[in-house]
């Protein structure tokens, strides 16, 4: 190998390492996976996580990135040792990160790399991540949510905030299928139905007559007719009419018990993520216990416009889209504003058969 070829190889490998950081920062998982050989491996023992092959790297990145509030990675040049069509090296990393559950910190780490020359250029054969220093002290700063970078395929950038207008747009068939698959992997039953009329029929199959049923305050249920079917149809022990008949000053404890543990809770959500999480918001908190696990069974009817890529975007949808609409409704109905005083995130259903999500191909509710 001549000196010019060696220089060219080093420049290309250094560019490969920079491309990795850029793809991670832009949350472009498919681009990041393409930097590896088809059987390449990304190993992070401290997490712990091990992904072998491009599809596992994409899926692993989706799961990891869905937990981020923000993530900043800086790569510093390290060693490169060339050996024909293979090479080894190290890259030095500094990272700042905060997860949606509050975990946060600063760390310095090393990537131990193996590289392979391919017809498409140099690729990672393996990256092994080793943390050398970790500081979990609270971070003083915050990360403004920027618009989606130009030139990036939105389907490949799951955690990049979506423009607000997209919160009204029904998800594509592909995204609905991906969401349903992720929900099933998280322990929920998930079905894709054409519209609210089909969901209205399906509810009658899922909820046996005579069951005690609590319905959440949901425009989806109201517009679909499901709220009326349950609370005025006479087929169920409907909790909401019973609650409305109780004096709140003297019957608060009875109300609390009734809404917390019915046979079924039927509701909608503010957002569902393509990674398999459900997000519900509440002003009073009355509907939270039943949805969280107090009800023996739960059915959520979800319009196609509520599908979002990840939890970060789901929280934006709650605040930027659902809250203003719910606030206007609350002002008109109750004469007072709404608020996000309680937030419930269901990442998985540990009790098989308890939770069913009916994903609709149409947009309904907000």
């Amino acid at each position: 190998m001549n000196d010019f070829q060696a220089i060219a190889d080093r420049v290309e490998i250094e560019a490969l390492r920079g491309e990795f950081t850029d793809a991670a920062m832009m949350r472009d998982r498919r681009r990041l996976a393409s930097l590896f050989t088809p059987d390449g491996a990304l190993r992070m023992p401290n997490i712990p996580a091990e992904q072998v092959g491009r599809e596992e790297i994409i899926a692993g990145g989706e799961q990891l990135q869905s937990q981020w509030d923000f993530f900043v990675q800086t790569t510093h040049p390290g060693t490169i040792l060339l050996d024909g069509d293979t090479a080894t090296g190290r890259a030095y990393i500094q990272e700042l990160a905060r997860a949606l559950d509050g975990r946060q910190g600063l760390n310095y780490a090393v990537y131990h790399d193996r590289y392979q020359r391919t017809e498409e250029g140099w690729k990672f054969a393996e990256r092994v991540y080793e943390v050398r220093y970790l500081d979990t002290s609270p971070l003083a700063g915050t990360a403004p949510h920027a618009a989606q970078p130009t030139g990036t395929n939105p389907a490949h950038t799951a955690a990049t905030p979506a423009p607000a207008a997209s919160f009204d747009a029904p998800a594509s068939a592909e995204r609905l299928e991906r969401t349903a698959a992720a929900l099933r992997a998280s322990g929920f039953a998930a079905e894709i139905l054409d519209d609210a009329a089909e969901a209205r029929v399906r509810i009658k199959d899922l909820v046996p007559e005579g069951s005690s049923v609590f319905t959440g305050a949901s425009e989806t249920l109201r517009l679909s007719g499901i709220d009326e079917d349950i609370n005025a149809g006479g087929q169920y022990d409907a909790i909401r009419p019973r609650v409305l008949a109780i004096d709140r000053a003297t019957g608060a404890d009875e109300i609390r018990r009734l809404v917390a543990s019915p046979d079924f809770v039927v509701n909608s959500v503010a957002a569902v993520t393509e990674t398999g999480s459900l997000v519900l918001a509440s002003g009073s908190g009355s509907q939270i216990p039943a949805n969280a696990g107090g009800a023996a069974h739960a059915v959520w009817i979800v319009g196609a416009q509520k599908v979002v890529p990840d939890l970060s975007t789901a929280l934006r949808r709650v605040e930027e889209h659902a809250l203003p609409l719910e606030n206007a409704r609350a002002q008109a109905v109750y004469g007072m504003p709404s608020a996000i005083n309680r937030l419930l995130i269901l990442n998985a259903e540990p009790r098989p058969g308890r939770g069913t999500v009916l994903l609709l191909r149409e947009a309904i509710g907000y």
Side-chain angles (χ1 to χ4, degrees):
M1 179 184 300
N2 60 49
D3 290 343
F4 291 109
Q5 184 62 57
I7 292 170
D9 288 342
R10 288 176 181 276
V11 169
E12 186 175 343
I13 289 172
E14 199 61 67
L16 178 72
R17 300 195 294 205
E19 185 82 1
F20 179 95
T21 292
D22 186 72
M25 287 284 291
M26 295 297 102
R27 307 190 183 195
D28 191 342
R29 300 186 300 274
R30 292 186 182 276
R31 178 158 62 100
L32 188 144
S34 73
L35 304 177
F36 288 77
T37 60
D39 59 350
L42 178 57
R43 309 183 200 279
M44 294 172 282
N46 66 299
I47 290 180
E50 181 169 316
Q51 300 142 17
V52 180
R54 291 173 177 171
E55 290 304 313
E56 285 193 15
I57 291 171
I58 292 171
E62 178 175 329
Q63 181 178 14
L64 184 62
Q65 291 172 1
S66 70
Q67 302 174 39
W68 292 347
D69 177 23
F70 65 81
F71 173 81
V72 179
Q73 182 185 83
T74 304
T75 299
H76 303 279
T79 62
I80 299 173
L81 181 62
L82 298 169
D83 185 13
D85 289 336
T86 64
T88 56
R90 288 185 293 275
Y92 297 92
I93 308 296
Q94 179 183 358
E95 294 172 325
L96 286 167
R98 179 181 291 135
L100 293 171
D101 63 6
R103 290 175 297 152
Q104 56 192 295
L106 159 72
N107 71 268
Y108 293 88
V110 182
Y111 270 120
H112 301 273
D113 294 337
R114 291 191 297 111
Y115 314 102
Q116 177 71 49
R117 191 197 309 273
T118 73
E119 292 182 356
E120 299 175 339
W122 285 95
K123 300 288 184 182
F124 294 109
E126 181 184 53
R127 299 208 91 180
V128 180
Y129 183 76
E130 178 194 2
V131 174
R132 290 296 184 94
Y133 173 84
L134 176 63
D135 180 358
T136 58
S137 303
L139 299 172
T142 59
H145 291 292
Q148 181 169 305
T150 58
T152 302
N153 185 340
H156 298 170
T157 315
T160 302
S166 70
F167 293 147
D168 280 325
S172 65
E174 179 184 1
R175 292 180 65 204
L176 286 171
E177 291 289 352
R178 184 160 58 242
T179 302
L183 287 166
R184 293 176 191 126
S186 298
F188 300 98
E191 304 175 20
I192 300 176
L193 307 178
D194 283 338
D195 52 30
E198 190 172 350
R200 191 174 184 179
V201 173
R202 184 70 179 116
I203 285 291
K204 295 176 181 178
D205 297 329
L206 292 170
V207 183
E209 288 190 27
S211 301
S212 61
V213 185
F214 176 55
T215 56
S218 162
E219 281 295 280
T220 298
L221 299 190
R222 185 185 69 81
L223 294 170
S224 65
I226 292 172
D227 186 283
E228 184 178 4
D229 289 346
I230 292 173
N231 292 314
Q235 295 176 295
Y236 306 106
D237 177 10
I239 300 299
R240 185 165 291 279
R242 292 171 60 184
V243 167
L244 293 175
I246 297 172
D247 185 297
R248 291 182 177 272
T250 60
D253 285 344
E254 183 182 359
I255 291 173
R256 176 173 51 79
R257 286 190 290 268
L258 281 171
V259 302
S261 56
D263 296 330
F264 280 81
V265 60
V266 177
N267 206 354
S268 188
V269 300
V272 56
T273 74
E274 293 177 49
T275 54
S277 297
L278 301 172
V279 178
L280 296 87
S282 176
S284 68
S286 62
Q287 63 181 333
I288 296 296
N291 284 276
H297 302 277
V299 184
W300 298 281
I301 300 93
V302 185
Q305 85 282 14
K306 298 184 180 184
V307 174
V308 296
D310 50 52
L311 278 175
S312 177
T313 312
L315 296 177
R316 285 187 58 238
R317 188 181 196 281
V318 172
E319 292 190 2
E320 298 176 14
H321 180 79
L323 177 59
L325 294 171
E326 173 59 19
N327 190 61
R329 187 194 73 86
Q331 289 279 18
V333 175
Y334 309 119
M336 58 187 297
S338 185
I340 304 172
N341 294 327
R342 303 288 190 275
L343 192 67
L344 176 64
I345 300 174
L346 301 172
N347 287 324
E349 177 49 70
R351 289 153 54 188
R354 176 186 178 268
T356 299
V357 182
L358 303 182
L359 292 170
L360 308 185
R361 294 188 176 94
E362 72 170 357
I364 185 172
Y366 50 72

